[in-house]
């Protein structure tokens, strides 16, 4: 079964840092591209980052650029999101999601269950 | 860049049809045939139900259909069933900034 499982969420103080992980299984991780999408409590979906299969292309939403860093380890089938200078408005459920097609921008066909990040003092 | 605009809610009786609009701009919906739709039940992850404007992934019932005209995309759910009650989000490729832009979401209620 093709699956993504996020971890690393938790409670962090404003200005703090956190690293999220997304473990992939059931497919050849290194050939796919990925995104991070978040959802604040009771709110809609917000795309925040994209990474290509070889990390040659990386994009961020304006809301997180300069504070968040996406990376991947194709030997361990892991996707990461390093978050720093966290703000209250970063509080959300963070999903990793797989690109359906090569080159990206098509759609997101596999989603994890999400990991909750709460930024509060 | 602003989110794509969807109506907050839509409803219909079992067996009826409901159509949800998704309005973007010439930089996203109007520029690419990369419009997708996601269904999200409470407490669950989003599920892809339409990609590339009108295509359905394997396993998605043909009651779900998509279309696009200019800067507006639409999702139609025909023959509404109780399990269709959920939140629906459209999404479009937006170039590199942003790579994706999501819609504001529509809550579908089956009366």
């Amino acid at each position: 079964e093709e699956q993504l499982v996020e971890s690393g969420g938790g409670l962090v103080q404003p200005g703090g840092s956190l690293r999220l992980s997304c473990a992939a299984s059931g497919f050849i991780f290194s050939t796919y591209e990925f995104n991070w999408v978040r959802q604040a409590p009771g709110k809609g979906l917000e795309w925040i980052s994209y990474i290509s299969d070889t990390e040659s292309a990386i994009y961020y939403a304006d809301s997180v650029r300069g504070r968040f860093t996406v990376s991947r380890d194709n030997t361990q089938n892991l996707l990461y999101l390093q978050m720093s200078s966290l703000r209250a408005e970063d509080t959300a459920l963070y999903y990793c999601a797989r690109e359906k097609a090569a080159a990206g921008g098509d759609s997101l066909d596999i989603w994890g269950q999400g990991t909750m990040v709460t930024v509060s003092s | 860049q602003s989110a794509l605009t969807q109506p907050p809610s839509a409803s219909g009786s079992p067996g009826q049809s409901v159509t949800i609009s998704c309005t973007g701009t010439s930089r996203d919906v109007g520029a690419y045939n990369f419009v997708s739709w996601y269904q999200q039940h409470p407490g669950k992850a989003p599920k892809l139900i339409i990609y590339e404007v009108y295509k359905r992934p394997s396993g998605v019932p043909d009651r779900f259909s998509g279309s696009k005209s200019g800067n507006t995309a639409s999702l139609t759910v025909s023959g509404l069933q109780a399990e269709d009650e959920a939140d629906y989000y459209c999404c479009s490729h937006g170039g590199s900034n942003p790579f994706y832009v999501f819609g504001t979401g529509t809550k579908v209620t089956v009366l």
Side-chain angles (χ1 to χ4, degrees):
Chain A
E1 179 191 5
E2 297 176 322
Q3 192 174 10
L4 297 172
V5 178
E6 302 92 339
S7 61
L11 175 64
V12 61
Q13 292 189 335
S17 299
L18 208 58
R19 188 178 82 159
L20 307 184
S21 299
C22 172
S25 60
F27 60 93
I28 303 174
F29 179 81
S30 61
T31 64
Y32 284 89
E33 299 156 1
F34 293 89
N35 294 263
W36 287 96
V37 177
R38 69 183 180 184
Q39 187 169 33
K43 303 298 184 181
L45 301 172
E46 179 190 12
W47 171 82
I48 58 172
S49 185
Y50 160 89
I51 184 169
S52 67
D53 53 352
T54 61
E55 299 186 89
S56 60
I58 289 176
Y59 304 117
Y60 299 99
D62 290 346
S63 58
V64 305
R65 187 177 297 113
R67 301 186 300 121
F68 290 11
T69 302
V70 63
S71 62
R72 61 190 294 166
D73 184 339
N74 286 345
T75 66
Q76 298 291 322
N77 295 349
L78 288 169
L79 176 72
Y80 300 106
L81 185 68
Q82 178 68 47
M83 305 184 296
S84 61
S85 301
L86 283 162
R87 307 165 180 166
E89 54 264 37
D90 295 318
T91 294
L93 186 62
Y94 284 74
Y95 293 102
C96 60
R98 190 184 78 173
E99 284 281 344
K100 186 180 190 307
D106 184 303
S107 57
L108 307 175
D109 67 343
I110 303 294
W111 295 64
Q113 84 290 349
T115 187
M116 187 67 200
V117 173
T118 302
V119 184
S120 175
S121 55
Chain B
Q1 188 168 356
S2 300
L4 308 177
T5 301
Q6 297 180 233
S9 63
S11 62
S13 299
Q16 290 187 331
S17 295
V18 63
T19 297
I20 302 167
S21 62
C22 169
T23 302
T25 71
S26 58
R27 298 183 302 276
D28 37 63
V29 175
Y32 306 95
N33 285 324
F34 288 146
V35 176
S36 50
W37 290 87
Y38 301 85
Q39 177 191 62
Q40 186 179 35
H41 287 107
K44 300 295 187 182
K47 173 188 174 184
L48 177 66
I49 57 172
I50 294 288
Y51 67 100
E52 293 177 15
V53 177
Y54 64 90
K55 298 178 181 179
R56 281 178 288 105
S58 175
V60 173
D62 59 6
R63 303 184 292 102
F64 294 91
S65 62
S67 63
K68 190 186 89 166
S69 178
N71 297 338
T72 299
S74 298
L75 172 73
T76 297
V77 186
S78 306
L80 270 173
Q81 299 183 5
E83 59 262 36
D84 299 333
E85 188 162 291
D87 293 325
Y88 291 82
Y89 293 92
C90 62
C91 181
S92 174
H93 183 46
S96 60
N97 184 24
F99 196 69
Y100 280 113
V101 58
F102 280 95
T104 49
T106 299
K107 181 176 181 60
V108 169
T109 301
V110 181
L111 301 171

